[in-house]
Amino acid sequence: MYRQVLDPVAGSLAWSSLLAALPLAVLFVLLGAVRMRAWTASLIALATAVLVAVLVYGMPTGQALLAASEGAAFGFFPILWIVINAIWVYNMTVATGHFDVLRRSFARVSDDHRLQAILIAFSFGALIEALAGFGTPVAVTSVMLIALGFAPLKAAVLALTANTAPVAFGAMATPVLTLGKVTDLDSDTLGAMIGRQTPILAVFVPLVLVVIVDGRRGLRESWPAALVAGAAFGLAQYTTANFLSVPLADVVAALASAAAVVAMVRLRPAPRPAPVAGGAADEPTPEFAARASGRDSRAETARAYAPYAIIIAVFVVCQIAQVKDLLDRATRTFGWPGLHLTDPSGKPLGLVTFTLNYLTTPGTQMLVAGLLTMLALRVGPGRAVRAYGTTLAQLKWAIVTVMAVLALAFVMNASGQTITLGTWMAGAGAAFALLSPVLGWLGTAVTGSDTSSNSLFGALQITAADKAGLSPVLMAASNSSGGVLGKMVSPQNLAIVAAAVGLDGKEGDVFRRVVGWSLVFLAGMCLLSWLQSTPVLSWMVP
């Protein structure tokens, strides 16, 4: 049995926090400054976390290693289980040539690569986030951008940057529902509050995307379309989250944004931009090479869109209450063998409980969508198995990275390192409103999941709010809204997108390109959270 300690260094939260932050400092320095491969950096950071847990926090070595093993298992199921099956579906579309048809269909909407970045990375990515979440949107949209002629590094940066505003309502609002459970606050009220923060972020994200694609000229020439796309997304997300349905917020927002981009293209043709550097995926597959310069038939175009229509249909059906309850009967929950943890007050930690939701996890639903895709694209079993093997080979280092990072997160959580950092920040009093999003950002940066960040810090946000006389709803929502900005720098997502675009070993290059935008957005969210805690914007708090 291990009982957590929050201030093991001289009874001081401040000094303890310095050592508690050491694994994260090691991870980001190795990634950003040393440019080490993500899987190597993650393993070294994991070893650092274990050493801090054992030597500083006094955690038994066996308990630390068991916590790491549970984190690694959680990294594979459900997180990697989702990503692997999503990339498998994509690889089948590549193998059959239908991805080339999809590419040409998007290209016919506009040949302006700045608008293509908004349509695919932002709007389409938000739809994938709404349905599957985790690392699926960055993997799928980055390879789609490469197929349209974007260089791999730029495609990765665009996909990660775009995957911000939709995250809090991703996977049918799983982060919001989780936040409601850990805080005992109404999830609809939390969703409404988050829906008054992230829509403001959404307005600016497409503007940043056109800057990444084409610099100042891109902003000067494309800002109307970018602004309309962001405003349409933000307005739809706000309206849906506050008045219609929290789980459907991203679905409605993604469709509204895509419709706005298409309408802008029809009403206001953009200036022809300079061409962008192409990637390897820009070459059409032999099966469809003959049609590269022509128009595809309606039947082939419909077949190219079929996998995504199937994914939407499967996920929507699985969200029906009766179907969800039926599938949930297969869920099994058990305590992680040998792991015995309590919080500082002696209460057992829920961290030791592991859930195997075989049928309700999006990964299994994505697998079902893949099997249906085989029928729609007429893919035989042998070809599908080869595509799955290709997927596993493509993601091998990402698999190691994700499992190592989640092992790191579980060791930090189990030993008390993460709570030490959060408790120290919560001592800021009224100024905590300014720091609340930072806590969420930190949680997502470590775990790669806004859901996990809410599980980790949701209750702490409520405690800090009560002590400082702040709104519990605002602080809990700020945790989730700040968390969405940590996703783009999470080693988990860096590894997934690097594997998808063929940049294994160059995760540090991607990290350096996105960390600045992540911090700029975070500063804006901190300012918004603070203003909402004051009379200036307190009217925005439900």
Side-chain angles (χ1 to χ4, degrees), residues 204-280:
F204 295 97
V205 172
L207 295 169
V208 171
L209 295 181
V210 298
V211 170
I212 293 173
V213 173
D214 200 24
R216 292 183 179 178
R217 184 184 66 171
L219 184 62
R220 184 174 63 252
E221 296 179 354
S222 304
W223 70 265
L227 187 60
V228 167
F233 185 98
L235 181 61
Q237 192 182 60
Y238 161 76
T239 303
T240 308
N242 278 270
F243 307 111
L244 298 176
S245 168
V246 171
L248 293 178
D250 276 352
V251 175
V252 176
L255 296 176
S257 178
V261 174
V262 173
M264 284 293 294
V265 170
R266 296 288 183 263
L267 297 175
R268 184 181 181 275
R272 179 170 291 276
V276 294

Side-chain angles (χ1 to χ4, degrees), residues 374-394:
M374 289 173 56
L375 299 176
L377 301 186
R378 301 168 187 170
V379 178
R383 200 173 192 182
V385 170
R386 287 193 295 273
Y388 211 99
T390 299
T391 301
L392 292 175
Q394 178 184 1

Side-chain angles (χ1 to χ4, degrees), residues 370-461:
L371 296 174
L372 295 175
T373 295
M374 289 173 56
L375 299 176
L377 301 186
R378 301 168 187 170
V379 178
R383 200 173 192 182
V385 170
R386 287 193 295 273
Y388 211 99
T390 299
T391 301
L392 292 175
Q394 178 184 1
L395 294 174
K396 60 181 182 294
W397 296 120
I399 291 172
V400 175
T401 301
V402 172
M403 294 179 71
V405 168
L406 265 297
L408 160 74
F410 270 58
V411 171
M412 291 187 64
N413 297 348
S415 64
Q417 296 173 56
T418 308
I419 302 301
T420 294
L421 290 169
T423 306
W424 175 62
M425 293 175 63
F432 182 69
L434 195 64
L435 299 176
S436 177
V438 178
L439 205 55
W441 180 93
L442 180 66
T444 305
V446 175
T447 65
S449 165
D450 196 41
T451 300
S452 298
S453 178
N454 288 343
S455 298
L456 191 61
F457 290 130
L460 182 64
Q461 294 275 6

